[in-house]
Amino acid sequence: MSFTLHGIPVSRGIAIGRAYLIAPAALDVDHYLIEPDQIGAEIERFHVAQERVHAELDALREDLAADAPSEMGAFINVHSMILNDAMLVQETIDLVRTRRYNVEWALTEQLEILSRHFDDIEDEYLRERKADIEQVVERVLKALAGAPSTASLVAHNAASNGHNEMIVVAHDIAPADMLQFKTQAFKGFVTDLGGRTSHTAIVARSLGIPASVGVQQASVLIRQNDLIIVDGDHGIVIVDPAPIVLEEYSYRQSEKVLEQRKLQRLKFSPTQTLDGTKIELCANIELPDDAQTAVEAGAMGVGLFRTEFLFMNHKDRLPEEEEQFEAYKRAIELMNGRPVTIRTIDVGADKPLDSMSGDGYETAPNPALGLRAIRWSLSEPQMFMTQLRAILRASAFGQAKILIPMLAHAQEIDQTLDLIQEAKRQLDDAGIAYDPNVQVGAMIEIPAAAIAVRLFLKRLDFLSIGTNDLIQYTLAIDRADNAVAHLYDPLHPAVLNLIAFTLREAKRAGVPVSICGEMAGDPTVTRLLLGLGLTEFSMHPSQLLVVKQEILRSNLKAFEKPVADVLAAYEPAELATALGALQKV
Ligand code: PEP
Ligand code: MG
């Protein structure tokens, strides 16, 4: 039966394919598809792990002290029985066979299915047996981790005409997990939770594939392998579409491919407005190799390298200086002389580190207002110095800039600049090269920073406005919370006036300023930002050409009056009229 779900559009385009439901537990293990000829070997891996756990349980039983309570032995027996139970074993094997999941994925998927059954049980004793199954699965996963994997990551290369492409459907996906999908051939994303500028949405956008988030109940209502359409322009998900709907969307999909192809023609033309104002378009990247995509899309540099993604998926430790240095150097070399703005680690809020868990961090009363970004770095000076040295060392190989997130206070700026000096001194002492003139800039993403921007203009070489957080903190709307997503409004008069003020003050002081939040890559506000005086944009490479198209059609002189009207408008109707006029000139 066909039905439609509504969510928040976060990444444009249309995807048509089969739903791949990812259970929360499955996110903690690798998930990849195996080749048909690897199925036998994968099932064998499972049996070997099963045997190993049997042996472990037998050893435990034998080691039980004579005076151990009798329940201990009974528990071990229950676990042995679960380990042989068809509901766990046979169903897992079936998932490996029919869906070609690697065994860890199949096992956690089956655990999720069983858990749901248990949650429905009235009898408390039986309901609690769920924990036993979880413990057994955990043992098997550990045994599997010790055994080499027979399967390699398989890029799914199904032909699109059979609608065999994979679309991930999940309750929620952490940014770090989303990052793992970069290497896999998923064609779309749907999640129950999330907001327009949550970091998960940002990474989905960077993958350039259609995505809708905040599609409540999607992971419950959509079944494994359902045929679905994701309309990333409108946030709509159509499940089991009627043939005529499918045809319409296939047509729209091909139209979009044509549009994209047409945009490619703009790639080599200079970026300037009709009246000759030069505009600089840079790219936001998450991983060093994204720099390649940035160059291919025609970016003049990297305006934001979100280095925290290098730090994620490191279970027990942060990357060493050498590893970081290599990563920054790689991005710098790929950009081939163009500037690379490396933002120091911005963890916290919706981007926790694995190594942060367990130290009380996750229970912070309000992580978005807590020890995030530079606040965290200043509280971990050793970690911060390691990163600063790595960035400075990489600066010897091209044009690097250092960007600091979430600054608000003068003493934070001063402390940060002192640490950068100290990192330079350490490199001098060790005789290691770096660019002594490396520029240091600040993100303007806290309202206090925008209002007190003069503190920043005096101390820093450049500014970059992070509209994602500026909106979140100005409006007190958690950017990752779909319950308040309708109130997350980039065009709120307070937000627009803060952006306008920052741009004006920076211009007056002669300090370069860019915008690297998601607004920079939204072609519907390009005219407005140009009219406010913005000349440097940084966005995901996938957005560069569509924004450039808007710039090439813009006449700044004609924007003056409507933009002044936009800034003066406080009533929604007035604002809508002023914005409408701006689109027409
Ligand atoms: C922002 O806040 O606008 C920004 C660019 O940084 P991030 O999205 O990583 O918080
Ligand atoms: Mg930010």
Side-chain angles (χ1 to χ4, degrees), residues 26 38 100 114 152 185 239 330 387 395 412 434 467 537 580:
Q38 291 174 316
R100 295 198 281 116
L114 291 174
S152 58
V239 185
R330 177 155 177 75
Q387 180 170 38
S395 72
E412 279 176 323
Y434 62 88
T467 49
F537 294 63

Side-chain angles (χ1 to χ4, degrees), residues 65-82:
D67 56 352
S70 60
E71 297 90 49
M72 293 287 284
F75 268 131
I76 297 174
N77 290 342
V78 168
H79 284 199
S80 294
M81 276 157 60
I82 292 172

